[in-house]
Amino acid sequence: MLRHQYNFMLAQRFNWYEKNRCSIDRCSLICHLPELTEQPNYYNQKASLTQLKKERTWYKDIHSQVLQEVPKRVEKAMNRWLKGNVKGKKSGRPRFKGESQYKTFTYQQFKQHHFANDFIKLSKIGDVKVIVHRPIPDGFTIKTVSVTKKADGYYVTLSLDDKTVPTVKSDFDTDKIVGIDVGLIDFFVTSDNDRVAAPKHLRKAERKLRKAQKCVSRRKLGSNRRKKAIRKLGRQHKKVADTRKDFHFKTANQLLKKYDVVAVENLNIKGLARTRLAKSIHDAGWGQFLTILTNKAENAGLLVIPVKPHGTSQECSNCGHKVKKPLSERMHNCPVCHTSLCRDHNAAINIRNRGTHDLYNQAQLMSRVA
């Protein structure tokens, strides 16, 4: 029902856009102009939901906040297409949602006592039994609740709020600053020469994925057997994604337990993912890991510093001399100071030095402002 309403409101936007735009920017002084219709927007589409419930009474079974989220999604999709984001980058034309493509609905407000023990009370649905991933910490307030349909079942996501989340510490221990260089052979190498091997979750699961994909391609289009095979393939892909995400969380947690400040390269991961190494880069999931690392550092009152990645592998960490070398050369040998160490370890030391420099400049700036 939400999917149908989304498609209807999106069609309203497209119809108005096609009928009221014109490629001609000038015309004669005397001409006929058709009367412009009211432009659909978030507010008048939201107001139309009242009439919708009168004409189609079965929509009364949906909570009002869940239904009001539909025009908000349409508004966001159209703005991304026509206006773009803050940087001016635009997304593609919004698409109509096909069957089983509208997978999430959200309650914008939620009462704390509606989630107790192993049950959660969803308005207009009732009490639903859930498997609790972990208990809600004391002092946290539930703000929103989202229900998502995934390959292996339904999931409830709780958005929490806590006023006691610590701010970034002002006094960092200089011995607890580390630089990390992410890679494909080793997931990352620290400036202390600690290494975490790349798990390569997708590569290890390729055989099962290939078998499941072959099963889908051999089924007749539209048949129940094909739908069953697609669900099985989706579960295999979800297992790979969940395993990778679990690895990222545990690795970030171990890193932040040991260090106060983590310096990382501000990489253009989307650009790197268009190269010949695209499959391995997607399998590593650097973007997801750096996002998790940054969020966990903020919640713990720690700091993640992005530094410029240019030249970290070419510069000598001891004397600063540039030693050009191809990607296949894994050792750094400086002809000036005769430093010899692993290429990734050398890059990690350079990243730590740049992070220390940026942190010092930031502290100097804050002291001047104060």
Side-chain angles (χ1 to χ4, degrees), residues 138-204:
D138 296 333
F140 281 74
T141 305
I142 301 176
K143 302 297 288 185
T144 64
V145 172
S146 298
V147 181
T148 304
K149 182 182 180 182
K150 295 188 178 181
D152 58 346
Y154 289 88
Y155 287 78
V156 175
T157 304
L158 306 178
S159 176
L160 306 179
D161 181 35
D162 183 25
K163 304 299 183 182
T164 63
V165 173
T167 57
V168 177
K169 297 178 182 179
S170 57
D171 52 337
F172 290 104
D173 188 353
T174 55
D175 295 332
K176 291 188 177 182
I177 298 178
V178 69
I180 62 172
D181 180 61
V182 294
L184 299 176
I185 300 175
D186 294 309
F187 183 68
F188 68 72
V189 179
T190 70
S191 54
D192 295 337
N193 202 20
D194 294 330
R195 298 172 181 270
V196 176
K200 299 180 181 179
H201 301 291
L202 180 62
R203 298 286 185 181
K204 294 178 181 178

Side-chain angles (χ1 to χ4, degrees), residues 23 47 67 115 121 140 149 157 159 195 199 206 289 324 348:
S23 59
L67 195 57
F115 179 66
K121 185 175 182 180
F140 281 74
K149 182 182 180 182
T157 304
S159 176
R195 298 172 181 270
E206 277 185 333
F289 170 71
K324 293 186 178 181

Side-chain angles (χ1 to χ4, degrees), residues 22 45 68 70 76 80 91 93 112 151 154 168 175 189 193 206 210-211 221 241 255 257 259 271 281 294 302 313:
C22 181
Q45 286 188 328
Q68 289 168 8
V70 177
K76 184 180 292 186
R80 286 178 178 174
S91 301
R93 180 187 175 99
Q112 194 83 9
Y154 289 88
V168 177
D175 295 332
V189 179
N193 202 20
E206 277 185 333
R210 189 184 301 114
K211 185 177 179 180
L221 289 173
L255 197 61
K257 280 183 178 179
Y259 302 100
I281 291 173
T294 303
L302 305 178
S313 298

